[in-house]
Amino acid sequence: MHLRTTTHRVVTAALATTISIAALGACGSSSDSASKATDTSAAAAVGTTTAAATASTDAGEVPSAASGTCDAWLAVERAASEGPDSGDGPPSPTQIVAFAEKLQPLIATVADGAPNEVADPIGTVKQIIDDAAADDTGAAGQKLDPSNPALAAPLAKVEEWAYGSCGYTQIDVMGKDYAFDGVPNEVKAGPASFKFMNMSHVETHEMALLKVGNGVSTKEVVDALKKDAHAAQQTYGSKVTFVSETSAEPGKTSYTIADLEAGDYVIVCLIPQGGKDGGTPHAQLGMVSTLTVR
């Protein structure tokens, strides 16, 4: 979720400091991606999704029992995507606690009457948010961190469920060494669920979604990212904003949800080659794409 942002995350939104492009690389580290991704193999994904790796805006009827949960979960996603109120710097422990308190009534609504298939993971997420809101030890950030398997695993289950059950626009994207496949040219504005399939045999990949503001073209941002992952933020600042992120280890599949506003977006992977400090960010190897929302 990215309480997410995240969904994927209370975590990403809470701890991405200024939610800058430079900070996004840490969101998809190999240390936490396994807990966010399902065990779908890349080979299986190819067989079932290659032809469908485009946006589907007609996901069908949403069962009435799931509709209320889907609407409530989307409200959590929206609030989480805003992150803690920390100005231009990293959030303090007090600000993270306040952020968790903001999420409490929203996740309580989700938990109330959640379908049986996701009642347990939603309950787990609620408990972690409640614990963070009540934390007086300074550890709220650790509880809401994406590398915390206790949070990442249930979030992944809920987001996978939402992809198939909530009627959001479905966008299937494949990551490979080093490019994105299946990114549609255009999708409609509104709730969207991204299914990210890592087709690599060796590299962990992420799919970070950035919104490009007025006065900046996606070409400018793409060119900047291909030259220097930090340059885009240094050059464009608040004109490029973080929306959502998910990552997956080789052969795995993960999900993320975003309430897309009309505009232009860039999809990028900033994980360093080989997952090593100092490695070349995948963006500089060509792993950047664009998306227009109408």
Side-chain angles (χ1 to χ4, degrees), residues 45-169:
V46 172
T48 59
T49 62
T50 300
T54 57
S56 168
T57 57
D58 184 16
E61 286 292 320
V62 181
S64 58
S67 179
T69 302
C70 293
D71 291 344
W73 183 255
L74 188 61
V76 174
E77 294 278 4
R78 288 169 177 152
S81 67
E82 297 174 0
D85 184 9
S86 60
D88 293 331
S92 68
T94 299
Q95 290 168 332
I96 295 175
V97 168
F99 176 59
E101 291 174 342
K102 176 182 177 181
L103 293 172
Q104 275 188 298
L106 300 175
I107 192 65
T109 300
V110 177
D112 185 16
N116 290 337
E117 58 265 41
V118 285
D120 286 345
I122 287 174
T124 300
V125 173
K126 179 182 181 299
Q127 185 61 59
I128 292 173
I129 292 174
D130 287 344
D131 290 346
D135 187 275
D136 59 1
T137 68
Q142 296 174 0
K143 294 172 181 176
L144 298 182
D145 190 283
S147 63
N148 173 13
L151 175 63
L155 282 179
K157 291 179 181 178
V158 178
E159 291 191 333
E160 182 177 5
W161 170 84
Y163 172 88
S165 303
C166 287
Y168 303 149
T169 295

Side-chain angles (χ1 to χ4, degrees), residues 53-55 171-174 178-187 194 206-213 216-226 240 260-261 263-269 283 286-294:
T54 57
I171 304 176
D172 294 357
V173 177
M174 291 176 286
Y178 296 94
F180 292 104
D181 280 346
V183 180
N185 293 326
E186 184 177 306
V187 298
F194 290 83
E206 73 172 339
M207 188 199 76
L209 185 65
L210 314 177
K211 190 174 189 299
V212 179
V216 182
S217 70
T218 53
K219 183 180 185 305
E220 289 176 293
V221 176
V222 167
D223 289 346
L225 287 168
K226 287 183 176 180
V240 178
L260 299 176
E261 299 178 350
D264 295 319
Y265 294 77
V266 168
I267 293 175
V268 60
C269 179
M287 203 162 181
V288 188
S289 189
T290 62
L291 172 68
T292 297
V293 178
R294 301 290 186 190

